[in-house]
Amino acid sequence: MNEKENIRLLASFLIAGSLIAGILWLLGRVVSPKQTNNQIPNSGSLNASSNDNMSLGEEIFITKNNSTEKAEGSKAFAKGDFSTAVRQFTTALNKNRNDPETLIYLNNANAELNKSQTKAPIKVGVILPLGTVDQAEETLRGVAQAQDALNNSRDKINGAWLQLQIAAISNFRDTQAIESLNRQLIDDPRILAVVGFTREPSIYNDRKLVMVSTANLSSRQSFQGQQYVFYATPSPDIFSDKLAEYIVEKTGIKNIAICKDSSSQQTQDRSREPSVNRETLIKLHQDSIKSSKYSGKVTNTNCDFSDSTPVSDILKRARTDGAEGLLLFPGYRSINNPNSKFFELLRENKIQGELPLFGSQMMYNSRMLKYGKENLNKMVLAVPWHWDANPDNPFSTEASRLWGGEVSPRTAIVYDALQAIITGLREDSTREGLQKTLSKPDFVAFGAAGRIKFSPAGVRDREGGVFLVRVEPCSSGRGCDQDSQLRFNLIKN
């Protein structure tokens, strides 16, 4: 494996760690029917103490706004009374449309009612991290929407209904618990694929079960010889290349300073996050900017949100070093604290003359707009999905109908993961057959972000899955943050 491939794989590892950590923090919110911004109140709760952390309908994990009907539906499901379960879940969903768990259980109960000796339901596992209630719902919205559309179609999967087996994990830092959950899914012969994540991809390869991962937590070595794990987002170097192209060729910026938060790596190590240095991700962006393809430059400015240097001095030094823009890599703690040095630097940058801002996809969330306000105006990010990227795609319209508003990037990525599995199962509904189908050079599925096609390494290609967004003023309407009156607008070619 050459050096470029090593960097790419290590960066994939880091990006995925950031995405999973984001399950506990941010990456966007969903609009409820009564809201006009991108947030749902954090007033809900989760059940992290179920019997076995597995449920087709017999356990309730999201207890926010829990209704008697949902509880009764779950009890009926556990008893095998699927007619009552369908009736109760239907009533519960009518009362609370924005509950993906109920929609999944309704579909699962209907699948039991409609099964026959020749057409038993097809089961797909979904690993659900119980971090915050909002982000757990974002995950379930993606799979619920794909499942509901399939089960309400005429042909389904060659006539068979789809059931989703939810496997909940309350602490994603608990490696042993994660792998125990993965093995439970693998040991169920009826489960033909899994949407989720694992720290040991080799167990899926060994037992020949497809996982479409929404986050890559594999080590560099674990990529070697893996055939059964596919990735729902493109490789991180695709994002860095897209951003480098925009910085150097579209804006004409030839020299940029990189600002980072080195304390975030120390936090990762203490919290048992994957021990991959953030410098790997930064190096990937540096290499893209400085490549012969773009011939940009990166200053030697020491811009670190974790040291004691005043931000005014940091920015003056960057300008002295010739910086024409700032490429930002803050930590999650910085993004979630409006008084952090990161947001202080943004405010100072506006005072000193607004060097153009660029950043990684972890900054694509409502809190950036809320806390950054006018100091973020015109910041550009490379992201995995945007509502306006595919205006003819039915995903957005259907999401708005189901959930009453705009959904997050996480919902779109999870939706795409299940769409790839559904498309593959239509051709071959066996474990090994699904793997062969997804691995074919001509395999194509279509999801929220457009085309889904995998490389020989199982990584999604760049077409449909990498977009540029810019923070711009808005007056009202979808995606507009009420506090800042800003939104992320898609940059069109």
Side-chain angles (χ1 to χ4, degrees):
M1 184 176 291
N2 60 37
E3 181 181 357
K4 182 177 180 180
E5 289 173 329
N6 287 343
I7 292 172
R8 176 174 177 168
L9 294 176
L10 281 171
S12 297
F13 180 33
L14 178 63
I15 282 284
S18 297
L19 288 174
I20 284 294
I23 294 174
L24 297 177
W25 288 99
L26 30 90
L27 252 185
R29 309 287 174 168
V30 180
V31 179
S32 70
K34 295 181 180 180
Q35 291 177 292
T36 58
N37 63 3
N38 260 17
Q39 295 181 318
I40 285 179
N42 281 312
S43 58
S45 57
L46 298 163
N47 172 24
S49 58
S50 67
N51 293 331
D52 63 357
N53 295 325
M54 294 281 183
S55 179
L56 283 168
E58 63 274 15
E59 297 274 359
I60 295 175
F61 296 117
I62 298 179
T63 55
K64 181 181 84 171
N65 300 325
N66 210 16
S67 65
T68 301
E69 290 81 6
K70 183 177 180 179
E72 291 301 316
S74 183
K75 291 178 183 177
F77 194 105
K79 294 177 181 177
D81 183 359
F82 301 114
S83 295
T84 299
V86 167
R87 185 171 64 253
Q88 295 286 8
F89 286 140
T90 299
T91 303
L93 199 60
N94 287 335
K95 287 186 174 182
N96 180 19
R97 65 184 290 195
N98 201 5
D99 183 355
E101 186 179 39
T102 298
L103 182 59
I104 289 169
Y105 291 166
L106 173 60
N107 271 283
N108 287 349
N110 268 318
E112 291 290 344
L113 283 180
N114 287 278
K115 71 180 180 181
S116 64
Q117 291 183 344
T118 57
K119 291 293 182 184
I122 285 175
K123 286 174 68 176
V124 170
V126 177
I127 296 179
L128 175 67
L130 297 177
T132 69
V133 64
D134 294 340
Q135 291 151 351
E137 286 185 320
E138 288 174 13
T139 298
L140 292 186
R141 284 190 184 102
V143 289
Q145 182 171 337
Q147 179 198 31
D148 190 59
L150 173 70
N151 285 343
N152 282 289
S153 66
R154 291 184 177 181
D155 56 347
K156 301 178 175 54
I157 299 177
N158 303 319
W161 287 63
L162 174 64
Q163 287 185 322
L164 297 180
Q165 174 85 58
I166 298 177
I169 180 75
S170 58
N171 181 6
F172 75 86
R173 298 186 183 110
D174 188 337
T175 302
Q176 185 175 357
I178 290 175
E179 296 321 310
S180 175
L181 208 64
N182 277 281
R183 291 184 185 279
Q184 282 181 265
L185 294 169
I186 291 170
D187 289 341
D188 184 345
R190 285 187 55 203
I191 291 180
L192 300 183
V194 174
V195 173
F197 61 94
T198 177
R199 293 176 187 260
E200 294 293 338
S202 60
I203 65 175
Y204 281 85
N205 199 60
D206 294 344
R207 299 292 296 277
K208 294 180 169 52
L209 176 64
V210 164
M211 166 179 276
V212 179
S213 177
T214 54
N216 174 359
L217 287 175
S218 306
S219 67
R220 179 175 60 182
Q221 290 77 16
S222 67
F223 277 85
Q224 301 175 13
Q226 297 305 317
Q227 299 175 322
Y228 279 79
V229 179
F230 299 81
Y231 301 99
T233 61
S235 176
D237 65 339
I238 304 298
F239 290 89
S240 66
D241 181 78
K242 185 85 169 179
L243 193 57
E245 178 187 28
Y246 184 84
I247 291 171
V248 179
E249 295 194 347
K250 301 296 183 181
T251 69
I253 290 175
K254 300 297 183 182
N255 203 358
I256 196 162
I258 292 181
C259 295
K260 63 183 180 180
D261 186 354
S262 60
S263 67
S264 65
Q265 179 61 36
Q266 299 171 7
T267 302
Q268 276 190 332
D269 292 340
R270 290 196 299 269
S271 63
R272 296 173 63 189
E273 286 296 312
S275 56
V276 175
N277 200 298
R278 183 174 293 273
E279 294 299 324
T280 304
L281 180 60
I282 293 173
K283 186 177 188 310
L284 195 67
H285 284 75
Q286 286 177 328
D287 289 348
S288 294
I289 292 169
K290 295 164 65 177
S291 68
S292 58
K293 186 177 180 181
Y294 302 120
S295 300
K297 295 180 180 180
V298 176
T299 72
N300 294 320
T301 308
N302 180 24
C303 181
D304 194 330
F305 304 128
S306 65
D307 68 21
S308 59
T309 307
V311 293
S312 59
D313 291 347
I314 291 175
L315 287 171
K316 289 176 182 177
R317 184 188 306 143
R319 291 176 185 276
T320 300
D321 292 341
E324 302 169 84
L326 301 176
L327 181 53
L328 308 173
F329 293 91
Y332 287 106
R333 292 179 184 272
S334 295
I335 287 178
N336 281 271
N337 179 7
N339 298 315
S340 68
K341 193 172 182 179
F342 166 66
F343 285 110
E344 182 185 351
L345 182 137
L346 296 182
R347 291 190 290 271
E348 181 65 24
N349 181 53
K350 187 173 182 64
I351 293 172
Q352 289 195 20
E354 290 190 283
L355 288 173
L357 303 176
F358 307 92
S360 63
Q361 58 181 288
M362 66 172 290
M363 299 167 68
Y364 185 35
N365 62 78
S366 61
R367 292 193 181 185
M368 285 299 302
L369 302 179
K370 179 179 179 180
Y371 298 151
K373 298 184 179 179
E374 68 276 4
N375 304 311
L376 283 177
N377 195 25
K378 297 183 180 180
M379 180 181 71
V380 174
L381 311 176
V383 300
W385 178 78
H386 188 275
W387 190 273
D388 297 325
N390 298 285
D392 297 328
N393 192 320
F395 168 80
S396 298
T397 301
E398 182 63 11
S400 189
R401 182 189 70 82
L402 282 175
W403 317 121
E406 187 170 328
V407 295
S408 75
R410 181 184 294 106
T411 296
I413 292 168
V414 173
Y415 174 89
D416 282 8
L418 185 53
Q419 280 295 96
I421 290 171
I422 289 171
T423 302
L425 288 172
R426 289 185 187 276
E427 184 169 330
D428 193 318
S429 55
T430 65
R431 285 187 173 189
E432 293 188 46
L434 175 61
Q435 186 274 334
K436 291 178 181 177
T437 299
L438 297 185
S439 300
K440 289 180 178 179
D442 60 350
F443 171 80
V444 177
F446 293 93
R451 190 181 81 171
I452 306 168
K453 187 177 178 64
F454 300 110
S455 73
V459 180
R460 185 174 180 171
D461 71 7
R462 70 182 299 161
E463 285 193 37
V466 181
F467 308 97
L468 292 173
V469 297
R470 180 168 48 224
V471 177
E472 295 177 339
C474 59
S475 54
S476 62
R478 178 171 51 78
C480 186
D481 179 75
Q482 288 181 316
D483 292 328
S484 66
Q485 288 297 296
L486 295 171
R487 70 166 133 226
F488 293 101
N489 280 338
L490 181 72
I491 298 176
K492 299 180 181 179
N493 294 331

